[in-house]
Amino acid sequence: MMFLTEHAPALVIAIPLLAAFITPLFNKVDKRIRNLWVILSLVFTEFFVSILSFKVLGSGSYVYTLGATIPSLTSPAGFPVRIILEVDAMNALISFIALSITLIAAIYSWKFIEKYEAQGKFYSLFLLLTAGMMGMSLTGDFFTLFVFLEVVSVSSAALIAFFRKGESFEAAFKYLIISAIGTSFLLFSIGLLYGHYGLLNMAAIANGVRQHYSFLDTAALSLFVAALLLKSGSVPIHMWKVDAFQEAPVPLIVVCIASSLVSLYLLFRVAFSIFGLVISPILGWMVVFLGLLSILVGVSMALLQNNLKRLLGYSAIAEIGYVMLGVGVGLATMPEVGGFAFKALSGGILHIINDVLDVGLLLLIAGSIFYITKKRNIDELGGLAHNSPSLSVLFITGILAISGVPPFNGFASKLMIYESVFYFNPLLAILAVLGSVLMLAVFVKVFACIFLGDPYEGVIKKVPRSMMLMMWVLVFFILFLGLFPQVAIDTFVTPAAKALVYPNLYIREVI
Amino acid sequence: MINLFFKILLMPLIALIGIVVGLFYKGIDRILVARMQSRVGPPIIQPFLDVKKLLIKENIVPNHAVKWIFNLMPVIALSSSIVILLYLPLGGIEPLLEGHGDVLLVLYLFIFPTLALVLGGFSSGSPYANIGAGREIIKFMSYELPLAVVVISIVWLLSSVNIENIFSLSVISSNPPWTLVGPAGFMGLLLLFLILLFVMPGELGLVPFDAPQAESEIAGGILAEYSGRNLALFYLADAVKTIAVESLIIALFLPWGLSKLLGLSGEFGLLIDTLFFLAKLFVLTFVGSTFIRVAVARFRINQVIYVYWTHCLLIALCGLVLVGVDVAL
Amino acid sequence: MEWILRTEAGFWNPLMLFVSLVIIIGLVYLIRSFGEKKYKKGTEQTRYFFSGAPAPKGIKVSDIYWGFFVHMDTYYKWLKRLHTGVVNEYVYWFILTLTVILIILTLGDLL
């Protein structure tokens, strides 16, 4: 048992990676064994992530050096060498969220992609994508970050083209170009930092930045910020996200949302822990401004859409705007993050959890609708509430949760964000409230189009039980977080926010 | 624990008071409108008789309606309107659920009656109801922006004074904003109050903002297919929502009680405060509902958006800027 | 367990809202039960009212926001022009954002 907890960070990355390469062997044997293998490996990874999270929440950050004699031997010669995974409360939270939603998407995809070809490749790439995401969220080293980011990009691009129609290839191609450009600029920035400090470890570079900050570091920071904003899909570089989501299978879209949030987490890690002590407030205010723009543009474009997946893509962009708004206010007041700013930061981090749950639920419902009717355009649907009232109940829950209506979970995080950002500028809170109201309007139209009206005339299959079960699991978590928000905040969000706000602790773990 | 139990027992009492006072003021409103239009008008207890009549009628559910949503929405509309009352300070006493919800919660709870109306309209399966429900959402989108500006401006003004929990409604109603500002802020607060008087007919679906329920254009709009006990619940929800909106306006801008002024306390002071609160409700009903209803015509739906997002928003932002100038000085 | 969510300037207790909603919904169902339950099904009364004519075809529910789009026409024309779908333009946007961030951060350091 001690062995497992000691090596948990490495196992979290290694298990999906290994499983991804063994999946094609199982694919030759039998379909059900392959599906069971995929889900079992994800369950194992979840087990290890939970152990890791408990350990980090209980006894502080955990540093793991790959390949050393003992895991905490980070600097045998006075500077960090080898790949170091540094896990603090923020890391653990993000990896737990990302992995949980991936597990739910994997169980959902058992029935969803049952009738299509190339399922073995789907699952193999899916596990590779999971390994990449876990690597991205747990790493403490820039080059490992680059490698896992590439793994995520390439596997997502391949998976987007799963349906193998003309539009799917176009979407995958667009995604590949955009990610390649983003990762190139990221590599350029890593190169700049390496040239200045001669080290690739995040904590070591943070140590160097707080002592020898210069214009080279500003250039590296701006390249980083731009590349990570591109990967997470904030306005004004959000258009690729919607085009890619339109053609991807629904379980993949859910995992892509998780990976956009992991990229956003990386942005916060770089801005808070590495450059936190030397940046000016203007970076934080810029993130706030882009967040507000994301909310408004995302919601405005969502009002126009008639294609369900595109609409959900724009709503995902709007929800990321809320996270940027909350955390940006915290960033603007670094290094002295006081009462209001700390609450805004906590609200932003809580909103990450809520965003994944709410948009995930709506996406899974959209996938079910596509499964039972084979239609994507809301104009062609109608009256599904007569056939499947349970889907309409789930959809109403999703609408209320994503708009931030009490007593669901969206309200808790949005309340924290509104009641903290108004202190800095009342316009921020006003526009955020407007965004939430418009989001409700978007989804009421969708609900009325799809579920209400005359009964649906086409052929309808039944929604499989495993898919319904996953949606009810998400609703359970939505209700739980909605009814007991302070418990969640005290347990995960406040330690995560504290881990971001004190960069000196981050540096001290490694050096 | 006992406190909690006591509060739970008081909830139906507040519900009943809200319904009775709401219907009463609806009756006063109708008779005043009639007199202003040179008619005799119905007796003041007419709304009570209306509800009784509606409860006797048949509850017709259309063929193509989604039955469970159709029957559930009136219940949700009335319940949420009553629950809003539990969080507002009525008649000079603190809100019943003080310490459990603040003004942003009230702002969001106001979504529920509108949402129930809209979903009920869409689930009726009638083209008139669809159009009415669409107009209702557009109107709802439009008036939320000036409303948010006003509420957040008041709270922001309070944040310049060092008090705890400035979003709490009992704190807001014990610190009238007029006393915290100089002349520039006074003008700003007047502008914000004016905007709230514009938002009130929008929230309650009265002329000039009653495009969703336009009798002459779309034959009753959202409520075209509702009848019987469902329509009675929507009628009651409308009455209670009037009281809720007016109580919110009073809590934000007119929170004074007479008992402190006259130096009374105890039960007699409570009585004087309640009567003063009812008088304030009457003034707001007259200005926001009766007078505007007989004076102007109905706006088209894109004019509704124009009025709220151009005129009202500009005035509200001017108010915010004036208050901000005052805070900075 | 802490039931109330406390922010710096407000509070929120979801359980009290849930409890009060349950109680009030019970009360409202009680009021509703005083009403008449029955109605004549399958007659002319249960058809939707459109003065006897059938509903017009061609009006979709997804068009309900036309009033909003008519009002915000200029804004939406501009917004639709931005979202072209051409990858080259996305890359141009990225380069533009990168430049703006670089300039702003440099200015932020100098000041």
Side-chain angles (χ1 to χ4, degrees):
Chain A
M1 201 58 197
M2 261 312 288
F3 170 79
L4 294 178
T5 52
E6 212 180 314
H7 294 276
L11 283 172
V12 164
I13 308 179
I15 294 181
L17 201 56
L18 194 62
F21 289 114
I22 300 187
T23 307
L25 294 175
F26 279 106
N27 191 26
K28 296 262 186 242
V29 175
D30 183 33
K31 268 194 199 172
R32 295 175 81 185
I33 296 187
R34 171 204 68 207
N35 288 349
L36 273 175
W37 164 252
V38 168
I39 295 179
L40 213 61
S41 49
L42 282 176
V43 166
F44 258 116
T45 324
E46 176 94 7
F47 173 62
F48 282 114
V49 167
S50 319
I51 292 183
L52 186 61
S53 311
F54 276 127
K55 184 181 173 119
V56 168
L57 286 176
S59 47
S61 326
Y62 182 54
V63 172
Y64 183 83
T65 320
L66 276 168
T69 43
I70 49 170
S72 49
L73 185 65
T74 60
S75 325
F79 51 86
V81 292
R82 300 201 183 96
I83 299 176
I84 299 181
L85 304 174
E86 178 162 357
V87 187
D88 56 6
M90 184 76 195
N91 268 345
L93 181 65
I94 291 283
S95 44
F96 185 74
I97 298 170
L99 192 63
S100 312
I101 203 75
T102 312
L103 177 61
I104 291 180
I107 302 181
Y108 182 87
S109 58
W110 184 320
K111 280 288 182 183
F112 187 75
I113 62 167
E114 213 182 22
K115 301 282 190 308
Y116 296 99
E117 298 178 5
Q119 293 172 41
K121 302 187 179 82
F122 176 88
Y123 281 114
S124 191
L125 284 168
F126 195 81
L127 285 173
L128 202 60
L129 176 56
T130 316
M133 253 190 343
M134 289 297 107
M136 252 168 69
S137 58
L138 291 180
T139 186
D141 180 271
F142 275 121
F143 197 69
T144 333
L145 168 68
F146 171 70
V147 168
F148 282 120
L149 193 61
E150 283 285 8
V151 168
V152 165
S153 308
V154 171
S155 15
S156 310
L159 281 171
I160 288 176
F162 177 69
F163 287 132
R164 289 194 289 168
K165 299 188 304 215
E167 297 99 28
S168 320
F169 290 128
E170 179 188 338
F173 184 61
K174 275 192 205 172
Y175 179 84
L176 206 52
I177 292 185
I178 297 282
S179 341
I181 298 219
T183 357
S184 313
F185 279 95
L186 197 85
L187 187 62
F188 188 20
S189 151
I190 296 177
L192 278 178
L193 286 175
Y194 181 64
H196 192 187
Y197 296 111
L199 294 163
L200 281 174
N201 185 288
M202 282 189 193
I205 292 188
N207 195 19
V209 163
R210 72 178 168 178
Q211 290 160 4
H212 313 290
Y213 187 63
S214 74
F215 174 69
L216 209 55
D217 300 322
T218 316
L221 177 65
S222 55
L223 283 165
F224 244 114
V225 166
L228 287 170
L229 281 178
L230 176 71
K231 287 299 292 178
S232 56
S234 91
V235 166
I237 30 194
H238 61 288
M239 305 95 152
W240 63 268
K241 204 169 173 185
V242 181
D243 290 335
F245 279 7
Q246 190 178 352
E247 298 299 331
V250 165
L252 176 70
I253 306 182
V254 173
V255 178
C256 273
I257 291 193
S259 74
S260 332
L261 285 167
V262 172
S263 317
L264 203 60
Y265 146 74
L266 278 170
L267 172 67
F268 300 148
R269 174 63 73 200
V270 167
F272 274 95
S273 303
I274 300 181
F275 288 90
L277 297 167
V278 294
I279 47 168
S280 60
I282 204 160
L283 176 64
W285 287 116
M286 200 171 56
V287 172
V288 165
F289 176 68
L290 288 179
L292 265 184
L293 217 57
S294 302
I295 299 176
L296 293 175
V297 168
V299 170
S300 315
M301 284 304 289
L303 275 173
L304 278 177
Q305 302 300 326
N306 281 339
N307 184 326
L308 193 52
K309 283 201 268 198
R310 270 184 88 85
L311 196 143
L312 286 170
Y314 279 115
S315 320
I317 293 175
E319 293 296 312
I320 288 197
Y322 276 101
V323 176
M324 285 168 67
L325 177 62
V327 180
V329 166
L331 188 57
T333 53
M334 278 294 275
E336 297 294 325
V337 181
F340 279 104
F342 189 75
K343 281 291 176 188
L345 180 59
S346 316
I349 296 180
L350 183 63
H351 202 76
I352 294 182
I353 309 178
N354 292 341
D355 175 21
V356 163
L357 286 174
D358 301 337
V359 178
L361 175 65
L362 287 171
L363 277 169
L364 293 188
I365 298 176
S368 313
I369 294 175
F370 179 65
Y371 184 85
I372 61 180
T373 58
K374 288 282 175 287
K375 294 216 171 78
R376 293 178 182 173
N377 201 329
I378 59 179
D379 286 334
E380 301 161 6
L381 298 165
L384 284 179
H386 295 273
N387 306 78
S388 46
S390 45
L391 262 189
S392 37
V393 167
L394 287 169
F395 202 78
I396 293 184
T397 315
I399 297 177
L400 294 179
I402 203 174
S403 323
V405 167
F408 295 99
N409 59 357
F411 182 66
S413 54
K414 287 192 181 173
L415 189 77
M416 287 181 81
I417 295 181
Y418 299 148
E419 293 192 354
S420 321
V421 302
F422 88 95
Y423 184 70
F424 296 93
N425 194 339
L427 278 179
L428 301 177
I430 293 168
L431 290 173
V433 171
L434 177 69
S436 149
V437 165
L438 287 179
M439 182 82 86
L440 184 69
V442 168
F443 281 105
V444 165
K445 167 184 129 180
V446 175
F447 181 72
C449 274
I450 299 182
F451 286 99
L452 302 175
D454 290 341
Y456 186 64
E457 285 141 17
V459 179
I460 297 211
K461 301 196 276 196
K462 237 173 86 60
V463 182
R465 260 184 314 176
S466 60
M467 288 162 68
M468 286 298 275
L469 183 66
M470 287 301 108
M471 295 189 266
W472 284 110
V473 163
L474 283 179
V475 166
F476 169 72
F477 280 114
I478 286 179
L479 283 174
F480 182 78
L481 278 178
L483 290 177
F484 303 105
Q486 191 66 32
V487 173
I489 292 177
D490 288 334
T491 326
F492 341 111
V493 176
T494 312
K498 283 209 183 109
L500 277 184
V501 165
Y502 298 121
N504 293 318
L505 292 176
Y506 185 79
I507 301 176
R508 206 176 52 194
E509 292 291 329
V510 173
I511 302 213
Chain B
M1 213 49 208
I2 295 287
N3 207 3
L4 198 65
F5 193 60
F6 199 55
K7 285 185 186 177
I8 293 184
L9 278 183
L10 276 182
M11 284 183 202
L13 182 65
I14 294 203
L16 210 60
I17 296 179
I19 292 179
V20 166
V21 171
L23 287 175
F24 191 60
Y25 273 87
K26 223 172 160 72
I28 297 182
D29 176 53
R30 275 174 80 167
I31 196 169
L32 280 176
V33 165
R35 292 295 158 90
M36 285 166 97
Q37 289 175 335
S38 307
R39 296 183 280 127
V40 174
I44 289 193
I45 59 165
Q46 183 63 28
F48 294 92
L49 301 173
D50 274 343
V51 173
K52 189 167 167 204
K53 172 201 78 168
L54 281 172
L55 284 177
I56 303 177
K57 299 276 183 180
E58 287 177 351
N59 173 25
I60 300 175
V61 177
N63 274 339
H64 285 179
V66 182
K67 283 193 175 37
W68 61 278
I69 298 186
F70 189 80
N71 285 324
L72 182 64
M73 286 304 126
V75 174
I76 301 270
L78 183 56
S79 325
S80 45
S81 309
I82 297 178
V83 164
I84 300 177
L85 279 183
L86 300 175
Y87 286 100
L88 287 171
L90 303 168
I93 55 176
E94 271 194 359
L96 184 68
L97 293 181
E98 171 54 32
H100 299 283
D102 49 13
V103 77
L104 267 185
L105 175 68
V106 168
L107 208 64
Y108 266 84
L109 280 178
F110 271 114
I111 292 181
F112 273 110
T114 317
L115 190 63
L117 207 58
V118 166
L119 286 181
F122 275 125
S123 71
S124 305
S126 151
Y128 283 139
N130 282 349
I131 297 184
R135 290 183 183 184
E136 177 81 25
I137 308 190
I138 297 183
K139 185 187 69 158
F140 165 70
M141 276 198 281
S142 317
Y143 71 64
E144 279 292 318
L145 186 56
L147 184 60
V149 172
V150 171
V151 170
I152 301 223
S153 314
I154 299 285
V155 175
W156 187 55
L157 174 64
L158 282 180
S159 77
S160 60
V161 184
N162 254 343
I163 335 173
E164 284 265 311
N165 283 341
I166 43 182
F167 271 90
S168 148
L169 270 163
S170 58
V171 168
I172 291 181
S173 53
S174 27
N175 295 314
W178 311 96
T179 57
L180 299 169
V181 288
F186 196 79
M187 283 300 301
L189 282 179
L190 268 181
L191 290 177
L192 292 174
F193 188 38
L194 187 67
I195 294 300
L196 264 192
L197 287 179
F198 259 90
V199 168
M200 183 175 133
E203 286 226 38
L204 301 174
L206 303 163
V207 178
F209 298 107
D210 76 337
Q213 291 175 10
E215 269 93 18
S216 48
E217 284 173 24
I218 47 177
I222 291 188
L223 301 176
E225 296 296 328
Y226 273 99
S227 53
R229 53 184 186 168
N230 284 338
L231 189 58
L233 291 181
F234 270 125
Y235 193 76
L236 288 172
D238 190 43
V240 175
K241 195 174 165 192
T242 314
I243 302 293
V245 171
E246 292 173 359
S247 306
L248 178 67
I249 301 181
I250 292 176
L252 283 176
F253 282 102
L254 306 168
W256 301 282
L258 266 186
S259 65
K260 278 209 205 75
L261 209 62
L262 299 178
L264 306 159
S265 66
E267 290 93 21
F268 201 53
L270 199 60
L271 187 64
I272 296 284
D273 268 341
T274 316
L275 288 176
F276 189 48
F277 180 72
L278 291 176
K280 283 190 275 190
L281 281 181
F282 172 71
V283 167
L284 273 180
T285 313
F286 186 73
V287 172
S289 163
T290 314
F291 185 67
I292 293 191
R293 185 150 43 135
V294 302
V296 302
R298 180 184 300 138
F299 280 124
R300 243 189 6 243
I301 190 63
N302 58 323
Q303 289 169 332
V304 166
I305 310 177
Y306 186 64
V307 164
Y308 277 128
W309 275 15
T310 318
H311 297 294
C312 287
L313 186 63
L314 278 177
I315 300 181
L317 286 177
C318 285
L320 175 61
V321 163
L322 283 173
V323 167
V325 159
D326 202 89
V327 165
L329 292 177
Chain C
M1 285 244 273
E2 182 61 48
W3 309 116
I4 305 182
L5 173 86
R6 286 191 195 282
T7 65
E8 282 293 310
F11 34 70
W12 153 235
N13 189 349
L15 293 168
M16 273 318 275
L17 179 68
F18 186 66
V19 164
S20 38
L21 266 176
V22 165
I23 294 177
I24 301 292
I25 287 184
L27 181 67
V28 168
Y29 264 113
L30 186 68
I31 299 179
R32 187 171 184 255
S33 68
F34 286 129
E36 176 70 32
K37 292 190 234 316
K38 297 193 290 286
Y39 64 100
K40 311 186 202 47
K41 301 191 194 182
T43 63
E44 191 59 31
Q45 273 183 333
T46 53
R47 279 194 59 206
Y48 56 78
F49 173 68
F50 206 67
S51 311
K57 298 287 174 201
I59 301 181
K60 307 184 296 258
V61 179
S62 57
D63 288 335
I64 52 173
Y65 289 153
W66 75 268
F68 182 71
F69 294 138
V70 154
H71 177 73
M72 311 279 283
D73 201 31
T74 24
Y75 171 64
Y76 271 106
K77 271 212 199 70
W78 171 74
L79 205 58
K80 279 197 231 192
R81 224 182 40 213
L82 289 180
H83 291 81
T84 51
V86 180
V87 180
N88 310 28
E89 309 220 346
Y90 297 174
V91 178
Y92 294 151
W93 273 108
F94 173 66
I95 305 286
L96 181 68
T97 316
L98 175 60
T99 325
V100 167
I101 293 181
L102 187 57
I103 295 179
I104 292 185
L105 281 187
T106 326
L107 284 178
D109 270 341
L110 292 175
L111 299 171

